């Protein structure tokens, strides 16, 4: 039996301890590019990794491997940030990032991490506020890298990048611990967390342009990925409502209101329900 794209995605992200990041991230492009050939993409990346492995001395240290990977990825293969079209959805679709050699920090990191792991580097993603990073643990400590250009970041540079985020939290009077050590922001991100950040990037782009079918496609995956996050089901309901799918919208919004009856948006959502119920009563 052939799995649908959503069933396949669900099978990949079911177990926390065995989510294949690269393969799962690759599936995100299926909604927009249903003709995408998975095997072709995986083979292409395997070939890049094999090319790099062939050049590495058998006794190469982690630092040597890292330097060669950086040169290969950013210089030879010319991967870089798509600074001229940063909000293009293609920047989040891994097969397009591989084809164009352009992306945003998190998608470049997914490709880089896969190559790193294939050459024996235990590279991890870091869900740093505002700009996704990568890190590698070595004997002398941790090397933190910017996926846009491969540069290593000092403690001072990281603290400088964190400062605007902390200031925004303070201005918005949000609850946060401004005494958290920098290390708390540099923990390794779980694949589920990385995939959620990628999907939420896409959601923000599609909601901004009111592309509700694309919002719905993203929300279907977020609901699968984060089944405990009722706000994702709410957002799926809103996408359904904007597409005129009243029954599905009602089910999701009522489920949200049952669990969050006193949420800030609860009243405005309740006001939507009569119109949705009326739409169900109308003959098709």
């Amino acid at each position: 039996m052939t799995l649908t794209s959503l069933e396949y995605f669900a099978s990949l992200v079911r177990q926390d301890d065995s989510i294949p990041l690269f393969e799962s991230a690759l599936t995100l492009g299926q909604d927009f590019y249903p003709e995408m050939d998975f095997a072709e993409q995986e083979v292409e990346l395997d070939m890049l990794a094999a090319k790099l492995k062939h050049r590495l001395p058998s006794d190469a240290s982690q630092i040597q491997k890292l330097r060669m990977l950086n040169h290969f990825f950013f210089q030879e293969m010319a991967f870089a940030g798509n600074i001229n079209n940063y909000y293009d959805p293609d920047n989040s679709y891994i097969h397009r990032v591989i084809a164009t050699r352009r992306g945003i920090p998190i998608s470049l990191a997914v490709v880089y991490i896969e190559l790193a792991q294939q050459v024996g580097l235990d590279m991890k993603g870091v869900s740093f506020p505002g700009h996704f990073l990568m890190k590698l643990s070595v004997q002398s400590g941790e090397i933190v890298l910017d996926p846009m250009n491969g540069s290593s970041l000092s403690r001072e540079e990281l603290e400088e990048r964190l400062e605007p985020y902390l200031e925004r939290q303070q201005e918005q009077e949000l609850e946060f611990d401004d005494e958290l050590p920098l290390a708390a922001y540099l923990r390794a991100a779980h694949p589920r967390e990385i995939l959620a950040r990628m999907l939420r990037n896409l959601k923000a782009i599609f909601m901004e342009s009111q592309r509700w079918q694309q919002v719905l496609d993203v929300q279907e995956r977020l609901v699968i990925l984060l089944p405990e996050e009722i706000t994702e089901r709410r957002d799926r309901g809103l996408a359904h409502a904007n597409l005129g799918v009243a029954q599905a919208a009602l089910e999701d919004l009522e489920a949200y209101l049952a669990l969050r009856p006193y949420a800030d948006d609860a009243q405005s959502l309740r006001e939507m329900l009569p119109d949705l119920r009326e739409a169900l009563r109308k003959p098709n």
Side-chain angles (χ1 to χ4, degrees):
M1 184 180 70
T2 303
L3 296 178
T4 67
S5 62
L6 286 179
E7 287 170 341
Y8 180 52
F9 179 70
S11 73
L12 292 175
V13 303
R14 187 166 291 123
Q15 300 294 332
D16 259 353
D17 59 355
S18 59
I19 296 176
L21 176 60
F22 179 76
E23 186 178 0
S24 302
L26 196 55
T27 69
L28 306 189
Q30 272 191 304
D31 298 318
F32 212 71
Y33 295 96
E35 76 287 353
M36 179 182 61
D37 187 329
F38 273 100
E40 181 182 319
Q41 301 302 319
E42 291 176 330
V43 166
E44 180 167 356
L45 201 78
D46 289 347
M47 288 174 63
L48 291 177
K51 188 175 181 180
L52 180 57
K53 280 182 196 174
H54 183 69
R55 301 177 186 178
L56 290 170
S58 57
D59 60 348
S61 68
Q62 285 190 306
I63 297 298
Q64 284 177 302
K65 288 180 179 180
L66 180 60
R67 284 176 179 156
M68 290 187 74
L69 172 56
N70 252 7
H71 183 271
F72 180 73
F73 191 82
F74 295 106
Q75 304 301 319
E76 189 172 337
M77 302 310 301
F79 280 95
N82 190 358
I83 55 176
N84 293 325
N85 202 358
Y86 199 80
Y87 297 101
D88 185 341
D90 273 5
N91 292 331
S92 293
Y93 297 136
I94 297 300
H95 74 293
R96 295 298 303 148
V97 174
I98 294 172
T100 64
R101 305 287 196 259
R102 293 292 178 270
I104 53 177
I106 194 167
S107 57
L108 291 167
V110 167
V111 180
Y112 188 102
I113 288 168
E114 177 66 16
L115 285 172
Q117 291 179 347
Q118 288 205 33
V119 299
L121 290 173
D122 190 22
M123 190 71 63
K124 301 292 186 183
V126 175
S127 202
F128 199 76
H131 190 109
F132 198 83
L133 302 174
M134 307 178 294
K135 71 174 182 178
L136 178 68
S137 295
V138 295
Q139 282 188 334
S140 57
E142 286 186 337
I143 300 172
V144 180
L145 301 172
D146 187 335
M148 294 285 270
N149 53 26
S151 62
S152 61
L153 300 169
S154 68
R155 180 181 185 85
E156 291 72 28
E157 287 171 315
L158 289 165
E159 288 174 342
E160 188 177 328
R161 289 185 179 208
L162 187 59
E163 195 171 322
Y165 164 78
L166 296 178
E167 287 175 354
R168 279 196 303 274
Q169 299 289 90
Q170 199 166 24
E171 287 169 4
Q172 295 169 16
E173 297 183 348
L174 298 175
E175 287 187 22
F176 74 102
D177 186 352
D178 60 356
E179 298 301 319
L180 274 178
L182 179 62
Y185 296 96
L186 295 175
R187 64 174 182 78
H190 189 277
R192 191 178 300 278
E193 184 181 351
I194 296 172
L195 294 167
R197 184 161 171 165
M198 294 180 76
L199 285 165
R200 284 168 173 160
N201 285 341
L202 283 166
K203 173 162 74 170
I205 292 168
F206 292 138
M207 287 190 75
E208 177 71 23
S209 53
Q210 298 190 351
R211 295 161 68 176
W212 294 110
Q213 183 57 55
Q214 281 71 47
V215 173
L216 178 59
D217 291 338
V218 169
Q219 284 308 128
E220 294 284 17
R221 290 179 186 271
L222 278 167
V223 169
I224 290 169
L225 184 68
L226 305 171
E228 304 302 317
E229 291 279 352
I230 192 63
T231 54
E232 300 300 350
R233 192 162 175 195
R234 173 202 63 194
D235 289 353
R236 185 177 68 176
L238 291 171
H240 278 305
N242 278 283
L243 289 167
V245 187
Q247 183 62 51
L250 267 174
E251 289 172 6
D252 281 342
L253 296 179
E254 286 176 341
Y256 173 76
L257 289 169
L259 288 174
R260 300 281 179 86
Y262 304 112
D264 289 344
D265 57 357
Q267 185 55 38
S268 62
L269 293 175
R270 284 192 193 95
E271 290 169 2
M272 293 176 61
L273 301 185
D275 287 342
L276 291 171
R277 293 187 183 113
E278 179 62 26
L280 285 178
R281 287 193 285 270
K282 291 179 180 177
N284 293 324

